Amino acid sequence: MSVEHAVAAMERQARACANMDAGLYHDLLVRAAADVRAGGPCASVTEGYDDLPLDAVVPLRILGGVHALVLTGQAPDLARFYPSAGGTYSPADADAAWAALRALLADRRDDVRAWLPRPPQTNEVGRANLLLAGLLHAVAGTGDRPVRLVELGASAGLNLRADRFRVEADDFAWGPADSPVRLPGAWRNGVPDWLRDAAAAHPELTVVERLGCDVTPLDPGSPEGELALRAYVWPEHTARAGRLAGALELARRVPARVEAAGAADFLAGIAPRPGTLTVVWHSVMRQYVPADEWARVTAELDRLASAATADAPVAHLLFEPYPDQGPDHFQLRARLGDADERLLATAHPHGLPARAA
């Protein structure tokens, strides 16, 4: 049972990579699935983690550990296929790349396995495209007040600086023109009118607090934290890596605090604050939270919504997958106070581009 479950996880992630322009990872994972079934080095690496739920994305944990070795110069035979390390890749290289990966897994098993206990922490900067759209919607709907940003599953807290990012689309731009983080091609089929209106009315936002939580937060100012963030960006996605580099630069300039805490316990200490808009947001993290804890998170969010007032409004913004809702199932939703949740947009899983709902 464990072997077939691990194979299914590899094959599922391979399909996801193929759908997101990551041919190298697709080709490696297809071969890794066969290696698991055959009892090869990849099976040894996954031992003890082969029964985790599919949403735990064990294959990405493995690939993150491998990428860290590549980025630190410890896997030169594999690095020549990784664009993130100056290499190149084409489908004709698949067998050679797999041979290099298989040898690495056999030789550096324990180093790779050290990455398996923790979920991937991409801190995907592109998802700020959706979070910022939701933030402008919330500000427009609650009055022009200073903002408290509160993020669940914040990883290194990079998106807590999202108001300093530059969003760009046809005939549309919002955010500092000199930002080191640019999100081009942000919207497909046009920017929605509600976002244009909100952005025009609020060309700048005043953020008075940037606070998040994560079970295992990363320090973006440490070499270890930076390596982890870089390792979880897929090697062919050089534009994503560029956005990450800009976000790391901003993190050195703009303070934010990320506490080591579970989402429910953290939210229990948050209350509306008069004169400010409290925004609780999260992106593609809910799948990593156990169901019983998420029930507690929901209860805390309901508490905050009920406690909101005209002078102390609260918004809940989420960009999360809803797999039962068809191909456009990564959705931006917003709830202002105790009003009903509203679907605002759908997007690529990494946030760019988005489409109005």
Side-chain angles (χ1 to χ4, degrees):
M1 172 61 182
S2 295
V3 169
E4 289 308 312
H5 186 76
V7 168
M10 296 286 180
E11 293 176 341
R12 180 197 196 214
Q13 189 59 54
R15 292 190 295 270
C17 290
N19 290 334
M20 290 191 280
D21 300 317
L24 170 61
Y25 272 5
H26 166 269
D27 294 345
L28 291 177
L29 287 171
V30 167
R31 287 159 177 78
D35 190 68
V36 169
R37 184 172 279 131
C42 200
S44 178
V45 169
T46 62
E47 184 180 356
Y49 294 88
D50 39 15
D51 271 336
L52 289 185
L54 295 180
D55 282 344
V57 288
V58 170
L60 292 185
R61 303 183 191 204
I62 294 171
L63 291 172
V66 168
H67 199 187
L69 294 172
V70 169
L71 291 171
T72 53
Q74 300 179 69
D77 291 343
L78 188 58
R80 65 191 181 97
F81 303 109
Y82 274 57
S84 57
T88 59
Y89 180 75
S90 74
D93 299 320
D95 288 339
W98 165 245
L101 174 59
R102 191 176 189 275
L104 183 70
L105 293 176
D107 185 50
R108 303 295 294 270
R109 174 184 182 272
D110 290 345
D111 294 314
V112 175
R113 280 178 59 82
W115 289 67
L116 297 190
R118 63 186 185 191
Q121 291 175 276
T122 56
N123 214 167
E124 183 57 53
V125 176
R127 291 173 186 149
N129 180 38
L130 282 302
L131 298 174
L132 280 171
L135 178 57
L136 286 166
H137 166 76
V139 170
T142 59
D144 193 1
R145 291 178 178 81
V147 175
R148 301 167 67 208
L149 285 181
V150 178
E151 184 169 21
L152 308 181
S155 185
L158 300 184
N159 284 337
L160 285 170
R161 288 91 166 177
D163 59 300
R164 305 294 181 90
F165 299 175
R166 176 80 167 178
V167 178
E168 299 171 332
D170 291 341
D171 300 319
F172 178 83
W174 189 90
D178 61 350
S179 174
V181 180
R182 309 186 82 83
L183 306 178
W187 290 84
R188 181 180 295 165
N189 301 331
V191 177
D193 290 340
W194 58 263
L195 178 54
R196 286 188 183 277
D197 293 344
H202 305 279
E204 294 182 10
L205 298 176
T206 299
V207 177
V208 294
E209 187 172 16
R210 306 169 193 273
L211 178 63
C213 73
D214 199 278
V215 175
T216 53
L218 296 173
D219 177 2
S222 72
E224 297 81 10
E226 180 175 342
L227 176 61
L229 292 166
R230 292 175 61 209
Y232 278 127
V233 175
W234 299 354
E236 293 163 285
H237 291 183
T238 53
R240 290 175 63 202
R243 291 193 288 270
L244 172 61
L248 288 168
E249 178 184 335
L250 269 179
R252 289 187 282 270
R253 292 192 233 151
V254 181
R257 182 159 55 96
V258 180
E259 297 181 0
D265 290 339
F266 170 75
L267 271 182
I270 302 296
R273 181 179 299 168
T276 64
L277 166 62
T278 299
V279 176
V280 179
W281 73 20
H282 50 92
S283 58
V284 195
M285 58 77 69
R286 189 171 55 184
Q287 69 198 58
Y288 301 118
V289 181
D292 57 344
E293 181 175 359
W294 194 256
R296 293 173 55 215
V297 170
T298 300
E300 292 294 341
L301 289 168
D302 288 343
R303 173 188 61 79
L304 280 170
S306 298
T309 66
D311 188 45
V314 173
H316 175 211
L317 308 175
L318 59 153
F319 177 59
E320 297 285 353
Y322 293 80
D324 60 337
Q325 299 194 20
D328 293 327
H329 65 266
F330 281 80
Q331 300 179 355
L332 169 66
R333 299 187 178 198
R335 181 187 184 192
L336 305 186
D338 59 1
D340 290 340
E341 192 174 88
R342 177 182 173 188
L343 173 63
L344 296 180
T346 62
H348 184 281
H350 293 151
L352 296 167
R355 288 189 292 187

